[in-house]
């Protein structure tokens, strides 16, 4: 099961969509009622945000290199 399946969100989603999906999953997996499910959701959320931030910083760097030529 991928992190995107756990959060029930597309891999191309925005940070806002990832945060909303995380909030939805927390209503299903409360830490006291389902600690294993909560840990799974928490790990998926952290990894999804890391992937998203890495992708956006890489994309920004590529755009800068494409549109701005340093002499």
């Amino acid at each position: 099961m991928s992190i995107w399946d756990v959060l029930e969100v597309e891999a191309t989603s925005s940070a806002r969509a990832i945060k909303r999906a995380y909030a939805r999953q927390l209503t299903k997996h409360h830490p006291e009622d389902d600690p294993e499910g909560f840990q799974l959701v928490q790990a998926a959320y952290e990894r999804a945000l890391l992937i998203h931030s890495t992708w956006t910083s890489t994309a920004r760097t590529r755009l800068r290199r494409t549109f701005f030529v340093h002499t």
Side-chain angles (χ1 to χ4, degrees), residues 2-69:
S2 76
I3 60 173
W4 310 112
D5 293 336
V6 171
L7 294 174
E8 297 178 359
V9 70
E10 295 292 321
T12 57
S13 297
S14 67
R16 184 177 183 184
I18 292 169
K19 290 176 185 179
R20 285 183 175 183
Y22 173 66
R24 274 194 308 271
Q25 291 303 318
L26 286 182
T27 62
K28 297 177 186 176
H29 305 283
H30 193 273
E32 293 179 5
D33 299 334
D34 184 13
E36 292 174 4
F38 173 77
Q39 288 177 347
L40 182 66
V41 169
Q42 180 72 25
Y45 171 69
E46 290 172 0
R47 183 74 176 141
L49 284 183
L50 179 64
I51 289 169
H52 182 268
S53 68
T54 302
W55 183 86
T56 54
S57 68
T58 303
R60 274 188 248 131
T61 302
R62 287 183 184 158
L63 283 174
R64 275 191 223 119
R65 290 180 185 160
T66 303
F67 292 109
F68 302 105
V69 178

